[in-house]
Amino acid sequence: MFGLYDKEGILRFVNSDKDACIAYAELFELGSTNYCLMDLDNDKKKVEGNINLDQSLGVNNN
């Protein structure tokens, strides 16, 4: 499961397919500097515990 967060740290899209998240970003003309893509399965402890949407937690796409 992947989550696409905007530069403000707001979750904009969740999908099991990484490419679908990237296509969503392209659809709304979000450049790679304006979003981060997180693998939510690998970050399960972060998601289950104290949820912090700070962009530094995500995988940077730059």
Side-chain angles (χ1 to χ4, degrees), residues 3-4 12 14 17 21 25-26 28 37-38 42-44 51 54 59 61:
L4 180 81
R12 295 293 180 188
V14 176
D17 181 18
C21 289
E26 291 173 355
F28 289 98
L37 186 61
M38 292 178 62
N42 289 340
D43 293 332
K44 188 171 264 188
I51 296 176
D54 182 25
V59 175
N61 293 319

PDB file of all heavy atoms in Angstrom, residues 3-4 12 14 17 21 25-26 28 37-38 42-44 51 54 59 61:
ATOM      1  N   GLY A   3       1.029   5.592  -0.062  1.00  0.00           N
ATOM      2  CA  GLY A   3       0.323   6.832   0.208  1.00  0.00           C
ATOM      3  C   GLY A   3       1.066   7.985  -0.437  1.00  0.00           C
ATOM      4  O   GLY A   3       2.288   8.079  -0.363  1.00  0.00           O
ATOM      5  N   LEU A   4       0.329   8.862  -1.097  1.00  0.00           N
ATOM      6  CA  LEU A   4       0.900  10.029  -1.741  1.00  0.00           C
ATOM      7  C   LEU A   4       0.555  11.245  -0.897  1.00  0.00           C
ATOM      8  O   LEU A   4      -0.627  11.535  -0.682  1.00  0.00           O
ATOM      9  CB  LEU A   4       0.328  10.172  -3.154  1.00  0.00           C
ATOM     10  CG  LEU A   4       0.839  11.350  -3.967  1.00  0.00           C
ATOM     11  CD1 LEU A   4       2.194  10.980  -4.571  1.00  0.00           C
ATOM     12  CD2 LEU A   4      -0.128  11.697  -5.070  1.00  0.00           C
ATOM     13  N   ARG A  12      -3.098  12.634   0.032  1.00  0.00           N
ATOM     14  CA  ARG A  12      -3.943  12.932  -1.124  1.00  0.00           C
ATOM     15  C   ARG A  12      -4.462  11.675  -1.822  1.00  0.00           C
ATOM     16  O   ARG A  12      -5.498  11.713  -2.466  1.00  0.00           O
ATOM     17  CB  ARG A  12      -3.164  13.770  -2.145  1.00  0.00           C
ATOM     18  CG  ARG A  12      -2.782  15.135  -1.645  1.00  0.00           C
ATOM     19  CD  ARG A  12      -3.997  15.988  -1.452  1.00  0.00           C
ATOM     20  NE  ARG A  12      -3.624  17.309  -0.974  1.00  0.00           N
ATOM     21  CZ  ARG A  12      -4.489  18.201  -0.581  1.00  0.00           C
ATOM     22  NH1 ARG A  12      -5.773  17.933  -0.588  1.00  0.00           N
ATOM     23  NH2 ARG A  12      -4.088  19.371  -0.155  1.00  0.00           N
ATOM     24  N   VAL A  14      -4.247   7.041  -1.775  1.00  0.00           N
ATOM     25  CA  VAL A  14      -3.744   5.757  -1.289  1.00  0.00           C
ATOM     26  C   VAL A  14      -4.115   4.690  -2.312  1.00  0.00           C
ATOM     27  O   VAL A  14      -5.236   4.670  -2.805  1.00  0.00           O
ATOM     28  CB  VAL A  14      -4.361   5.400   0.085  1.00  0.00           C
ATOM     29  CG1 VAL A  14      -3.913   4.019   0.523  1.00  0.00           C
ATOM     30  CG2 VAL A  14      -4.005   6.426   1.135  1.00  0.00           C
ATOM     31  N   ASP A  17      -0.904   0.165  -5.721  1.00  0.00           N
ATOM     32  CA  ASP A  17      -0.004   0.223  -6.862  1.00  0.00           C
ATOM     33  C   ASP A  17       0.771   1.544  -6.863  1.00  0.00           C
ATOM     34  O   ASP A  17       0.177   2.626  -6.923  1.00  0.00           O
ATOM     35  CB  ASP A  17      -0.819   0.074  -8.143  1.00  0.00           C
ATOM     36  CG  ASP A  17       0.022   0.084  -9.400  1.00  0.00           C
ATOM     37  OD1 ASP A  17       1.247  -0.139  -9.318  1.00  0.00           O
ATOM     38  OD2 ASP A  17      -0.549   0.306 -10.480  1.00  0.00           O
ATOM     39  N   CYS A  21      -0.272   5.764  -7.894  1.00  0.00           N
ATOM     40  CA  CYS A  21      -0.039   6.976  -7.102  1.00  0.00           C
ATOM     41  C   CYS A  21       0.695   8.032  -7.928  1.00  0.00           C
ATOM     42  O   CYS A  21       0.347   9.218  -7.890  1.00  0.00           O
ATOM     43  CB  CYS A  21       0.764   6.650  -5.844  1.00  0.00           C
ATOM     44  SG  CYS A  21      -0.150   5.731  -4.599  1.00  0.00           S
ATOM     45  N   ALA A  25      -0.554  11.820  -9.204  1.00  0.00           N
ATOM     46  CA  ALA A  25       0.223  13.057  -9.065  1.00  0.00           C
ATOM     47  C   ALA A  25       0.355  13.759 -10.411  1.00  0.00           C
ATOM     48  O   ALA A  25       0.204  14.980 -10.501  1.00  0.00           O
ATOM     49  CB  ALA A  25       1.595  12.741  -8.483  1.00  0.00           C
ATOM     50  N   GLU A  26       0.613  12.987 -11.457  1.00  0.00           N
ATOM     51  CA  GLU A  26       0.729  13.564 -12.805  1.00  0.00           C
ATOM     52  C   GLU A  26      -0.595  14.144 -13.277  1.00  0.00           C
ATOM     53  O   GLU A  26      -0.628  15.193 -13.927  1.00  0.00           O
ATOM     54  CB  GLU A  26       1.237  12.514 -13.782  1.00  0.00           C
ATOM     55  CG  GLU A  26       2.678  12.123 -13.543  1.00  0.00           C
ATOM     56  CD  GLU A  26       3.140  10.961 -14.403  1.00  0.00           C
ATOM     57  OE1 GLU A  26       2.307  10.380 -15.144  1.00  0.00           O
ATOM     58  OE2 GLU A  26       4.331  10.630 -14.325  1.00  0.00           O
ATOM     59  N   PHE A  28      -2.856  15.589 -11.556  1.00  0.00           N
ATOM     60  CA  PHE A  28      -3.063  16.897 -10.940  1.00  0.00           C
ATOM     61  C   PHE A  28      -1.830  17.787 -11.041  1.00  0.00           C
ATOM     62  O   PHE A  28      -1.709  18.791 -10.338  1.00  0.00           O
ATOM     63  CB  PHE A  28      -3.512  16.717  -9.484  1.00  0.00           C
ATOM     64  CG  PHE A  28      -4.913  16.175  -9.403  1.00  0.00           C
ATOM     65  CD1 PHE A  28      -5.136  14.828  -9.205  1.00  0.00           C
ATOM     66  CD2 PHE A  28      -6.001  17.016  -9.569  1.00  0.00           C
ATOM     67  CE1 PHE A  28      -6.436  14.318  -9.159  1.00  0.00           C
ATOM     68  CE2 PHE A  28      -7.292  16.521  -9.530  1.00  0.00           C
ATOM     69  CZ  PHE A  28      -7.511  15.178  -9.324  1.00  0.00           C
ATOM     70  N   LEU A  37       6.095   9.944  -1.728  1.00  0.00           N
ATOM     71  CA  LEU A  37       5.404   8.672  -1.834  1.00  0.00           C
ATOM     72  C   LEU A  37       5.922   7.774  -0.725  1.00  0.00           C
ATOM     73  O   LEU A  37       7.127   7.575  -0.602  1.00  0.00           O
ATOM     74  CB  LEU A  37       5.680   8.057  -3.205  1.00  0.00           C
ATOM     75  CG  LEU A  37       4.943   6.790  -3.574  1.00  0.00           C
ATOM     76  CD1 LEU A  37       3.434   7.029  -3.587  1.00  0.00           C
ATOM     77  CD2 LEU A  37       5.406   6.297  -4.933  1.00  0.00           C
ATOM     78  N   MET A  38       5.016   7.265   0.096  1.00  0.00           N
ATOM     79  CA  MET A  38       5.406   6.413   1.212  1.00  0.00           C
ATOM     80  C   MET A  38       4.882   5.007   1.016  1.00  0.00           C
ATOM     81  O   MET A  38       3.737   4.820   0.629  1.00  0.00           O
ATOM     82  CB  MET A  38       4.856   6.957   2.530  1.00  0.00           C
ATOM     83  CG  MET A  38       5.476   8.254   2.962  1.00  0.00           C
ATOM     84  SD  MET A  38       4.761   8.881   4.487  1.00  0.00           S
ATOM     85  CE  MET A  38       5.164   7.584   5.629  1.00  0.00           C
ATOM     86  N   ASN A  42       5.747  -0.879   4.746  1.00  0.00           N
ATOM     87  CA  ASN A  42       7.039  -0.854   5.417  1.00  0.00           C
ATOM     88  C   ASN A  42       7.046   0.096   6.601  1.00  0.00           C
ATOM     89  O   ASN A  42       7.875  -0.035   7.486  1.00  0.00           O
ATOM     90  CB  ASN A  42       8.157  -0.458   4.446  1.00  0.00           C
ATOM     91  CG  ASN A  42       8.453  -1.556   3.450  1.00  0.00           C
ATOM     92  OD1 ASN A  42       8.115  -2.714   3.682  1.00  0.00           O
ATOM     93  ND2 ASN A  42       9.060  -1.203   2.346  1.00  0.00           N
ATOM     94  N   ASP A  43       6.145   1.054   6.631  1.00  0.00           N
ATOM     95  CA  ASP A  43       6.083   2.031   7.711  1.00  0.00           C
ATOM     96  C   ASP A  43       4.925   1.734   8.655  1.00  0.00           C
ATOM     97  O   ASP A  43       4.374   2.616   9.275  1.00  0.00           O
ATOM     98  CB  ASP A  43       5.928   3.445   7.145  1.00  0.00           C
ATOM     99  CG  ASP A  43       7.168   3.887   6.386  1.00  0.00           C
ATOM    100  OD1 ASP A  43       8.261   3.401   6.729  1.00  0.00           O
ATOM    101  OD2 ASP A  43       7.042   4.715   5.485  1.00  0.00           O
ATOM    102  N   LYS A  44       4.548   0.471   8.760  1.00  0.00           N
ATOM    103  CA  LYS A  44       3.385   0.079   9.539  1.00  0.00           C
ATOM    104  C   LYS A  44       3.467   0.572  10.986  1.00  0.00           C
ATOM    105  O   LYS A  44       2.489   1.050  11.535  1.00  0.00           O
ATOM    106  CB  LYS A  44       3.208  -1.438   9.517  1.00  0.00           C
ATOM    107  CG  LYS A  44       1.913  -1.904  10.150  1.00  0.00           C
ATOM    108  CD  LYS A  44       1.707  -3.378   9.906  1.00  0.00           C
ATOM    109  CE  LYS A  44       0.819  -3.459   8.685  1.00  0.00           C
ATOM    110  NZ  LYS A  44       0.357  -4.785   8.377  1.00  0.00           N
ATOM    111  N   ILE A  51       0.707   9.054  14.499  1.00  0.00           N
ATOM    112  CA  ILE A  51       0.731   9.423  13.087  1.00  0.00           C
ATOM    113  C   ILE A  51       1.280  10.827  12.944  1.00  0.00           C
ATOM    114  O   ILE A  51       0.759  11.777  13.508  1.00  0.00           O
ATOM    115  CB  ILE A  51      -0.673   9.334  12.453  1.00  0.00           C
ATOM    116  CG1 ILE A  51      -1.150   7.891  12.486  1.00  0.00           C
ATOM    117  CG2 ILE A  51      -0.657   9.870  11.023  1.00  0.00           C
ATOM    118  CD1 ILE A  51      -2.552   7.694  11.989  1.00  0.00           C
ATOM    119  N   ASP A  54       4.625  14.532   8.718  1.00  0.00           N
ATOM    120  CA  ASP A  54       5.763  15.326   8.313  1.00  0.00           C
ATOM    121  C   ASP A  54       6.404  14.671   7.094  1.00  0.00           C
ATOM    122  O   ASP A  54       6.658  13.472   7.076  1.00  0.00           O
ATOM    123  CB  ASP A  54       6.775  15.391   9.464  1.00  0.00           C
ATOM    124  CG  ASP A  54       7.969  16.238   9.113  1.00  0.00           C
ATOM    125  OD1 ASP A  54       7.850  17.141   8.249  1.00  0.00           O
ATOM    126  OD2 ASP A  54       9.035  16.021   9.720  1.00  0.00           O
ATOM    127  N   VAL A  59       9.516   8.667   1.640  1.00  0.00           N
ATOM    128  CA  VAL A  59      10.598   8.458   0.697  1.00  0.00           C
ATOM    129  C   VAL A  59      10.569   9.632  -0.270  1.00  0.00           C
ATOM    130  O   VAL A  59       9.557   9.881  -0.915  1.00  0.00           O
ATOM    131  CB  VAL A  59      10.395   7.128  -0.073  1.00  0.00           C
ATOM    132  CG1 VAL A  59      11.453   6.975  -1.137  1.00  0.00           C
ATOM    133  CG2 VAL A  59      10.394   5.963   0.887  1.00  0.00           C
ATOM    134  N   ASN A  61      11.086  11.640  -3.551  1.00  0.00           N
ATOM    135  CA  ASN A  61      11.109  11.251  -4.957  1.00  0.00           C
ATOM    136  C   ASN A  61      12.060  12.080  -5.803  1.00  0.00           C
ATOM    137  O   ASN A  61      12.052  11.980  -7.001  1.00  0.00           O
ATOM    138  CB  ASN A  61       9.696  11.349  -5.539  1.00  0.00           C
ATOM    139  CG  ASN A  61       8.790  10.354  -4.930  1.00  0.00           C
ATOM    140  OD1 ASN A  61       9.176   9.217  -4.712  1.00  0.00           O
ATOM    141  ND2 ASN A  61       7.569  10.743  -4.606  1.00  0.00           N
TER     142      ASN A  61
END
